[in-house]
Amino acid sequence: MLGAIAGDIVGSRFEGRDPPKRDFALFHPQCRFTDDSVCTLAVADALMGDRDFAGSLRAFTQLHPDRGYGGMFLAWAFTDDAPAYGSWGNGAPMRVAAVGWLARDEIEARDLAAAQASVTHNHPAAIAGAQAVALAILLARSGVPRAELRQRMITDFGYDLAPERALVGGGFDVSAAGTVPPALTAAFETDSWEAAVRTAVCLGGDTDTLACIAGSVAEAIHGLPADIAAAVPSYLTPDLRDVVTRFTAAVGS
Ligand SMILES: [Mg+2]
């Protein structure tokens, strides 16, 4: 899960700007954690504490309100009884990493991914995107070979993961259906966490979320380098660091 947080932090300073050259500095004083990290840790905390997803997402968001949330999510987060609002956005897959690490099997991964998505993003494309990312992490950490994993994503979710189409970038796409295929492809077509995240960031657009999702899957496939993992806590607030510490102790990643 730390791979998702690190990806968000690395991608944060390029969101909505021109894509950087590939050799950009991963960590920089302008990097910060964004809504991707807050929501990822809210879902992780809910899973570890058997807390409900909506309550955890609201509590974390209210503690960290200025982190680049979408307007509809923010309104939902500050209204205790607000229903899900049909979003097809990439918020559902961007916050799902912990499910991939804590689920015991494919059915549980799909069920938990859908459950955490559905409190806000109850559009089928957002639920599918969250399930794809959770399943990719579960299968990768289970040792499923990358080619087989990639084929499962194509077969089960209908994604086009051909690099010549998935890795073209351009535009600012916040849909789950437009974000998950390039993020997965960045993880599948590279040989390290760092290369996956650089590939995702260089697509431009919603760079923190592309890098968050690519980083979450790349961590399960390639592993997260120790120096990257070590850099993350200094960017977080103490309450968020505490979630990372408890998750790492529970899961080992
Ligand atoms: Mg963000």
Side-chain angles (χ1 to χ4, degrees):
M1 180 198 67
L2 208 48
I5 312 290
D8 174 43
I9 292 168
V10 168
S12 63
R13 69 190 173 106
F14 301 110
E15 184 180 17
R17 296 174 48 191
D18 288 339
K21 289 200 169 69
R22 195 175 170 83
D23 62 348
F24 67 89
L26 286 180
F27 293 99
H28 182 279
Q30 288 175 356
C31 289
R32 64 183 209 131
F33 72 87
T34 83
D35 55 334
D36 304 55
S37 291
V38 176
C39 293
T40 295
L41 292 167
V43 168
D45 193 58
L47 290 167
M48 289 189 292
D50 295 325
R51 191 173 174 187
D52 74 278
F53 292 119
S56 186
L57 283 163
R58 285 190 169 107
F60 277 66
T61 302
Q62 289 175 18
L63 280 172
H64 301 280
D66 298 316
R67 292 287 164 180
Y69 306 88
M72 291 182 70
F73 179 84
L74 208 52
W76 174 89
F78 278 86
T79 308
D80 278 348
D81 58 352
Y85 47 91
S87 175
W88 37 257
N90 56 23
M94 87 183 184
R95 68 191 188 209
V96 78
V99 170
W101 291 96
L102 291 171
R104 285 162 293 193
D105 54 41
E106 290 190 28
I107 291 170
E108 190 172 47
R110 284 177 181 270
D111 287 351
L112 288 172
Q116 68 81 29
S118 297
V119 297
T120 51
H121 293 59
N122 53 337
H123 187 285
I127 292 171
Q131 290 178 318
V133 173
L135 195 60
I137 293 171
L138 171 78
L139 295 176
R141 73 179 175 83
S142 307
V144 172
R146 208 189 312 179
E148 190 179 321
L149 172 53
R150 180 176 177 276
Q151 192 54 49
R152 278 293 303 278
M153 295 293 110
I154 295 168
T155 305
D156 287 18
F157 298 97
Y159 289 144
D160 183 350
L161 303 182
E164 65 272 21
R165 289 186 295 275
L167 295 179
V168 290
F172 196 100
D173 190 343
V174 298
S175 71
T179 305
V180 171
L184 289 175
T185 304
F188 292 157
E189 300 296 330
T190 53
D191 290 315
S192 69
W193 183 91
E194 180 175 333
V197 165
R198 287 190 185 281
T199 298
V201 168
C202 289
L203 294 172
D206 196 359
T207 51
D208 53 338
T209 300
L210 283 165
C212 174
I213 297 172
S216 73
V217 175
E219 176 184 20
I221 296 174
H222 308 300
L224 185 67
D227 58 332
I228 305 284
V232 168
S234 67
Y235 287 91
L236 300 177
T237 51
D239 58 317
L240 298 181
R241 270 202 295 273
D242 173 65
V243 182
V244 169
T245 302
R246 285 187 287 115
F247 191 88
T248 304
V251 174
S253 184

